[in-house]
Amino acid sequence: GGYVANSLAIMTDALHMLTDLSGIILTLLALWLSAKSPTKRFTFGFHRLEVLSAIISVLLVYILMAFLLYEAVQRTIHMDYEINGDIMLITAAVGVAVNLIMGFLLNQSGHLHSHSHAHSHVPQSNAPHTAHSSSHGHSSLAVRAAFVHALGDLVQSIGVLIAAYIIRFKPEYKIADPICTYIFSILVVLTTVRILRDTGVIILEGVPRHLNVDRIKEDLMKIEDVYSIEDLNVWSLTAGKTTAIVHLQLVPGSSSKWEEVQSKARQLLLNTFGMYKCSVQLQSYKQEMSKTCANCQSSSA
């Protein structure tokens, strides 16, 4: 519709919709990849394909946005363009109608979630029920977040519709079209910058934002018979799938309790901190090792 009407505002609005579509496709891709088994070559599985796809889709959006911005600047300078106000108006009206329907459906879905929670029995305090309850909570939050996002899209579509009305009945104010492109390009950047930040953290094997390494260390040290934490690595395979490797030293004379300590550490990482996978290495405390490590640190310093 934007191409036929020669409207950059419609095309930029469509570009913003493309970012939403890519997000949905990435979610479906993540669900599909999570069902695939690891191979001998890719022992972690194919979760990072989701990250790679996210980067490619964002780069594609930026390339298209750069082209639209260039055209908007050219139109602002030269003003040598014509816009089909009727087609722009119809396309913008359809966009507003679709966003209204989507917002209504998401709102109804949110009410259904809260209604089912209000009439559900209080779960017992065991692990399966707790996990079931939290999954309901996450899905409800996801619906609410999608509803808020749909409201943002609706506001943008209404902005395009207003611009279409102006251009249709006051063609001399056609400058409204590139102005909308400038505004919506900022919205596209704000939408995608978080995706780039999160994928950057995953590629650089950084700790996810929702986890605090110091807090994890404190809780591990509270486990009985743990003397010290030699090493702790936390990173993400992809969004929502965090992995950890921890190396613990046991209190002298407690080597026989290693299975119990390992079980508690794994339970803490998997259940409390929601790790997707974890590896717990144990060894008895050795004074000589800590002296050697201290010498290594002092020499490297």
Side-chain angles (χ1 to χ4, degrees), residues 43 67 98 125 138 161 170 177 181 221 234 266 278 291:
T43 55
F67 172 75
V98 170
S125 58
H138 283 306
L161 185 61
K170 296 283 186 180
D177 187 68
T181 302
M221 286 299 296
V234 180
R266 285 182 57 82
C278 70
K291 283 181 181 178

Side-chain angles (χ1 to χ4, degrees), residues 22-147:
S22 64
I24 294 168
I25 291 172
L26 286 172
T27 303
L28 293 173
L29 179 66
L31 290 170
W32 178 68
L33 290 173
S34 63
K36 292 183 72 67
S37 302
T39 64
K40 291 180 180 179
R41 185 174 179 83
F42 300 99
T43 55
F44 273 115
F46 299 90
H47 301 292
R48 286 277 169 95
L49 272 177
E50 181 190 358
V51 179
L52 186 62
S53 301
I55 293 173
I56 292 171
S57 64
V58 170
L59 288 177
L60 175 63
V61 166
Y62 281 173
I63 291 169
L64 293 172
M65 188 179 68
F67 172 75
L68 291 174
L69 280 173
Y70 174 78
E71 287 295 319
V73 171
Q74 293 299 312
R75 288 188 176 190
T76 305
I77 295 171
H78 302 293
M79 296 294 289
D80 55 348
Y81 61 96
E82 293 297 328
I83 296 174
N84 189 321
D86 292 327
I87 295 177
M88 183 180 181
L89 194 59
I90 292 168
T91 308
V94 170
V96 171
V98 170
N99 276 302
L100 280 171
I101 293 169
M102 189 163 59
F104 174 77
L105 291 174
L106 288 168
N107 191 36
Q108 290 297 107
S109 180
H111 282 311
L112 285 172
H113 271 286
S114 59
H115 183 76
S116 64
H117 290 164
H119 288 80
S120 61
H121 296 290
V122 178
Q124 300 298 318
S125 58
N126 53 28
H129 284 286
T130 305
H132 182 70
S133 173
S134 67
S135 66
H136 272 297
H138 283 306
S139 59
S140 179
L141 285 173
V143 170
R144 284 167 55 193
F147 175 68

Side-chain angles (χ1 to χ4, degrees), residues 235-256:
W235 73 99
S236 293
L237 291 176
T238 186
K241 285 184 166 51
T242 310
T243 308
I245 294 177
V246 61
H247 184 184
L248 303 176
Q249 282 197 340
L250 301 177
V251 172
S254 60
S255 301
S256 58

Side-chain angles (χ1 to χ4, degrees), residues 96-251:
V96 171
V98 170
N99 276 302
L100 280 171
I101 293 169
M102 189 163 59
F104 174 77
L105 291 174
L106 288 168
N107 191 36
Q108 290 297 107
S109 180
H111 282 311
L112 285 172
H113 271 286
S114 59
H115 183 76
S116 64
H117 290 164
H119 288 80
S120 61
H121 296 290
V122 178
Q124 300 298 318
S125 58
N126 53 28
H129 284 286
T130 305
H132 182 70
S133 173
S134 67
S135 66
H136 272 297
H138 283 306
S139 59
S140 179
L141 285 173
V143 170
R144 284 167 55 193
F147 175 68
V148 171
H149 193 90
L151 285 181
D153 293 341
L154 177 62
V155 171
Q156 180 171 324
S157 296
I158 291 172
V160 174
L161 185 61
I162 293 170
Y165 266 110
I166 294 171
I167 293 168
R168 170 65 180 82
F169 297 106
K170 296 283 186 180
E172 62 269 22
Y173 294 122
K174 61 183 180 181
I175 190 69
D177 187 68
I179 288 174
C180 283
T181 302
Y182 298 138
I183 296 171
F184 298 156
S185 295
I186 294 171
L187 293 176
V188 170
V189 170
L190 293 176
T191 304
T192 54
V193 70
R194 182 176 177 179
I195 299 173
L196 284 178
R197 183 181 63 193
D198 291 345
T199 52
V201 170
I202 292 171
I203 290 172
L204 295 173
E205 297 186 332
V207 178
R209 286 182 299 164
H210 68 281
L211 290 176
N212 186 324
V213 173
D214 291 333
R215 172 71 188 279
I216 297 174
K217 287 182 176 180
E218 287 175 9
D219 287 359
L220 285 170
M221 286 299 296
K222 290 177 184 176
I223 297 175
E224 190 178 357
D225 297 317
V226 172
Y227 182 84
S228 67
I229 300 171
E230 280 294 299
D231 198 17
L232 174 62
N233 298 107
V234 180
W235 73 99
S236 293
L237 291 176
T238 186
K241 285 184 166 51
T242 310
T243 308
I245 294 177
V246 61
H247 184 184
L248 303 176
Q249 282 197 340
L250 301 177
V251 172

